[in-house]
Amino acid sequence: AQSVAQPEDQVNVAEGNPLTVKCTYSVSGNPYLFWYVQYPNRGLQFLLKYITGDNLVKGSYGFEAEFNKSQTSFHLKKPSALVSDSALYFCAVRDKGYQKVTFGIGTKLQVIP
Amino acid sequence: SQTIHQWPATLVQPVGSPLSLECTVEGTSNPNLYWYRQAAGRGLQLLFYSVGIGQISSEVPQNLSASRPQDRQFILSSKKLLLSDSGFYLCAWSPPGLAGGNEQFFGPGTRLTVL
């Protein structure tokens, strides 16, 4: 079985400050990990993924995420938040060899001007 | 490049009426296709997925069904809608196969309101 947890319902950060959106996962094997962003009334957009290799993954719009196997975490980060980053962020996991992806419940990011 | 379309964008239907939502993908062959429902603007619930024509896996037993009549066409249907079917329906595709940790690409969604 696979699962993913996003412990924060909402994250507030001031514009220009660094942001972190947390994600932890559980899989029986090795994970593929993903981050997606959703703007209001839109579909999800892919941001970045971890497959293998370097634990620090860089993605779209200046976002990055760090894979930590010992803590089973895959936190999303950005050095300097923009007001336009305000959106709903989803972490997702797929156990290698499985077809289905499990999404977290989402974290609302609010960047305050 | 690949494109995914969904229609209609919004739909208001009475309880007990039928439903048909359509999703098509362009620019790729034999994609994996998915239907999700998002309630209250939060978590995604996987409803159906398909790895090929006529191959449908159902994740949640309910009054919805899915079909894949063509390689790049995925249809979500219901014979009689319930109030609880209201939500935001998202179609997604990913490249075929399990290897490579392929991400999913989502359509713009259909907002369904059942009254």
Side-chain angles (χ1 to χ4, degrees):
Chain A
Q2 58 189 28
S3 65
V4 60
Q6 294 183 245
E8 301 155 316
D9 186 65
Q10 181 162 332
V11 171
N12 297 320
V13 62
E15 186 178 22
N17 282 2
L19 69 87
T20 298
V21 182
K22 296 180 180 178
C23 172
T24 59
Y25 67 91
S26 175
V27 296
S28 56
N30 293 313
Y32 294 130
L33 293 157
F34 308 85
W35 276 101
Y36 293 84
V37 61
Q38 184 182 32
Y39 297 97
N41 296 310
R42 304 289 295 274
L44 278 68
Q45 297 177 33
F46 168 73
L47 279 179
L48 51 81
K49 66 182 177 183
Y50 172 80
I51 304 301
T52 188
D54 194 348
N55 289 342
L56 185 63
V57 178
K58 294 187 182 296
S60 306
Y61 311 120
F63 284 94
E64 58 189 28
E66 186 169 9
F67 171 65
N68 187 318
K69 188 173 183 178
S70 63
Q71 297 185 8
T72 62
S73 67
F74 189 56
H75 301 331
L76 181 69
K77 299 180 180 182
K78 187 174 182 181
S80 179
L82 301 173
V83 172
S84 57
D85 293 330
S86 299
L88 189 57
Y89 289 80
F90 290 94
C91 182
V93 65
R94 178 160 74 79
D95 203 340
K96 291 182 181 179
Y98 285 83
Q99 185 60 50
K100 294 181 294 182
V101 174
T102 299
F103 285 83
I105 63 169
T107 297
K108 184 177 180 180
L109 174 66
Q110 189 74 35
V111 181
I112 304 164
Chain B
S1 63
Q2 300 86 8
T3 311
I4 179 168
H5 303 278
Q6 279 187 254
W7 64 91
T10 60
L11 191 60
V12 180
Q13 293 284 96
V15 170
S17 64
L19 173 73
S20 181
L21 303 181
E22 189 164 344
C23 171
T24 60
V25 180
E26 297 177 355
T28 187
S29 296
N30 196 31
N32 298 322
L33 296 172
Y34 308 84
W35 277 113
Y36 291 90
R37 178 169 59 203
Q38 185 179 27
R42 296 311 288 258
L44 274 68
Q45 179 186 35
L46 178 63
L47 301 176
F48 302 94
Y49 69 94
S50 171
V51 299
I53 295 175
Q55 301 178 62
I56 309 293
S57 295
S58 174
E59 291 300 302
V60 183
Q62 53 197 349
N63 67 319
L64 298 173
S65 62
S67 62
R68 184 170 177 173
Q70 300 180 43
D71 181 43
R72 290 168 290 179
Q73 184 184 30
F74 205 24
I75 297 172
L76 183 69
S77 303
S78 174
K79 293 182 179 179
K80 290 186 177 182
L81 282 169
L82 306 173
L83 286 173
S84 58
D85 291 325
S86 293
F88 192 48
Y89 287 81
L90 291 162
C91 181
W93 75 273
S94 68
L98 297 177
N102 294 312
E103 62 269 30
Q104 295 180 9
F105 300 91
F106 285 80
T110 295
R111 174 76 59 191
L112 172 65
T113 303
V114 182
L115 301 175

